[in-house]
Amino acid sequence: MNKPKILVARAIFPETLARLQQHFDVQANQADESWPAARLIEKLQGKVGALTTGGDRIDGAVLAACPALRICANMAVGYNNFDVEAMTARGVLATNAPDVLTETTADFGFALLMAAARRMSEGEHFLRAGKWNTWRYDMFAGVDVHGTTLGILGMGRIGQGIAKRGAHGFGMKVIYHNRSRLDAALESECKARYVSKEELLRGADHLVLVLPYSAASHHAIGAGELALMKPTATLINIARGGIVDDAALAQALREKRIAAAGLDVFEGEPRVHPDLLTVPNVVLTPHIASATMPTRLAMANLAADNLIGFLTQNKPLTPLNPAVLTIK
Ligand code: GLV
């Protein structure tokens, strides 16, 4: 019997590929070419499934051009590269990769917070440039993390992981804002207090963004919001580019209207706003918050399990539009 045809749009772990090959006729991209939309459409011809990553846009035009497609399994928890409404309308299942990256990503958010607060990148650049030849009382003096107020915008699983690290590990007072308030048990586990967005901006010594990107969260942090923050505050974005107005942030950093920032995601990445590259008080990383080998393998395997579960038994593990499962 012919196996169903699927596409793996980017290079993945050989063991994950081997698992997929047991069930499917797989076209892989182990050379890891980055395909523009037209090429992706070409590669998707005749495929019933695709393992995608955050850079692969699946929208109405792609779906219309790929009528055989029945599932796209994203190897990411975020799925703003999917037009889920268009996928549902066409009966195409969307899945993401939640949970397996929560703690790893929360670790990274905290690392970025600490690096920004304690000016670690600035210090390292200074040292590497051979400029370290003396001691000075205020050399790279930053702001404290322990005992300060941690603000979290977007209190999903990763936000909660960061809250717990801050509250239990660093004695921080945690405040958060979210579309919906957590139930009392979760709030007490995270030692977190729900506040308005304005109170969050005004009160946080360190503000971590962990909300999903959508039209509603576009530029949730712009010049107006930055103006409400403390001049000693840090801003950390491990969510998505576009949630922060990067030009406004670069200006606020340059004018020291906030102390520092740590950014793992950028508007229009992998391009980075040129002004961010020239301000010293920002730590920049290339969208690697979930990047440990065990976690990336777990994400790849979850995406693969979604393809296998859906295409062999109509039982995906983490569907985003489960209504598709009942459409015959
Ligand atoms: C990474 O950004 C993800 O959404 O998994």
Side-chain angles (χ1 to χ4, degrees):
M1 207 181 74
N2 284 344
K3 290 178 180 169
K5 289 188 168 52
I6 67 159
L7 179 72
V8 177
R10 296 295 304 264
I12 53 161
F13 294 89
E15 56 261 59
T16 308
L17 195 55
R19 287 188 55 222
L20 286 168
Q21 282 162 338
Q22 288 171 13
H23 300 270
F24 307 119
D25 176 355
V26 183
Q27 178 166 13
N29 178 14
Q30 291 303 78
D32 212 23
E33 290 166 6
S34 184
W35 295 327
R39 190 106 170 97
L40 180 63
I41 287 172
E42 204 181 286
K43 298 278 181 189
L44 280 170
Q45 291 313 299
K47 309 294 191 309
V48 293
L51 193 154
T52 55
T53 63
D56 304 309
R57 175 107 195 112
I58 304 293
D59 57 15
V62 172
L63 296 168
C66 306
L69 200 56
R70 294 179 52 216
I71 172 174
C72 291
N74 224 27
M75 189 187 141
V77 64
Y79 50 90
N80 54 306
N81 56 312
F82 285 174
D83 181 340
V84 177
E85 212 176 298
M87 292 172 81
T88 308
R90 287 203 168 257
V92 176
L93 188 76
T95 65
N96 68 337
D99 301 325
V100 290
L101 48 53
T102 300
E103 299 303 330
T104 295
T105 305
D107 281 351
F108 191 87
F110 221 87
L112 211 45
L113 185 165
M114 297 192 75
R118 299 301 307 273
R119 306 179 62 180
M120 291 176 77
S121 282
E122 279 182 86
E124 185 181 357
H125 284 123
F126 173 85
L127 180 154
R128 284 182 188 271
K131 294 180 182 167
W132 184 27
N133 52 20
T134 183
W135 179 92
R136 210 191 120 85
Y137 73 98
D138 62 350
M139 192 165 95
F140 297 110
V143 290
D144 272 321
V145 174
H146 71 275
T148 60
T149 297
L150 171 62
I152 300 177
L153 184 58
M155 196 62 152
R157 290 160 286 217
I158 298 169
Q160 291 165 33
I162 291 169
K164 286 179 200 159
R165 282 161 177 75
H168 301 296
F170 288 79
M172 297 172 91
K173 196 172 103 186
V174 181
I175 54 177
Y176 77 98
H177 184 74
N178 196 41
R179 267 177 310 185
S180 50
R181 194 172 163 171
L182 298 186
D183 64 36
L186 266 183
E187 277 192 355
S188 108
E189 216 179 290
C190 298
K191 292 195 177 182
R193 185 167 65 86
Y194 182 81
V195 295
S196 68
K197 185 175 170 190
E198 181 172 340
E199 195 177 338
L200 183 80
L201 291 162
R202 289 189 189 280
D205 292 308
H206 305 283
L207 177 58
V208 184
L209 309 178
V210 211
L211 65 169
Y213 180 80
S214 68
S217 63
H218 181 74
H219 286 189
I221 303 294
E225 288 75 18
L226 291 163
L228 296 179
M229 292 176 68
K230 298 180 185 183
T232 48
T234 69
L235 176 71
I236 310 303
N237 188 6
I238 54 165
R240 276 292 179 274
I243 290 174
V244 175
D245 176 342
D246 284 348
L249 174 61
Q251 196 175 343
L253 288 166
R254 195 179 303 284
E255 293 168 4
K256 302 268 172 59
R257 283 190 275 110
I258 65 169
L263 306 175
D264 187 48
V265 289
F266 305 88
E267 287 189 279
E269 65 186 50
R271 288 188 311 280
V272 176
H273 195 291
D275 292 354
L276 285 172
L277 296 172
T278 58
V279 283
N281 44 345
V282 59
V283 182
L284 306 169
T285 52
H287 202 148
I288 53 170
S290 66
T292 65
M293 289 304 255
T295 291
R296 284 285 167 86
L297 180 60
M299 292 166 72
N301 282 337
L302 179 51
D305 285 336
N306 271 309
L307 287 161
I308 296 165
F310 176 63
L311 290 171
T312 67
Q313 301 171 55
N314 203 35
K315 282 193 184 137
L317 298 178
T318 51
L320 293 165
N321 53 352
V324 165
L325 299 171
T326 54
I327 301 170
K328 284 280 168 265

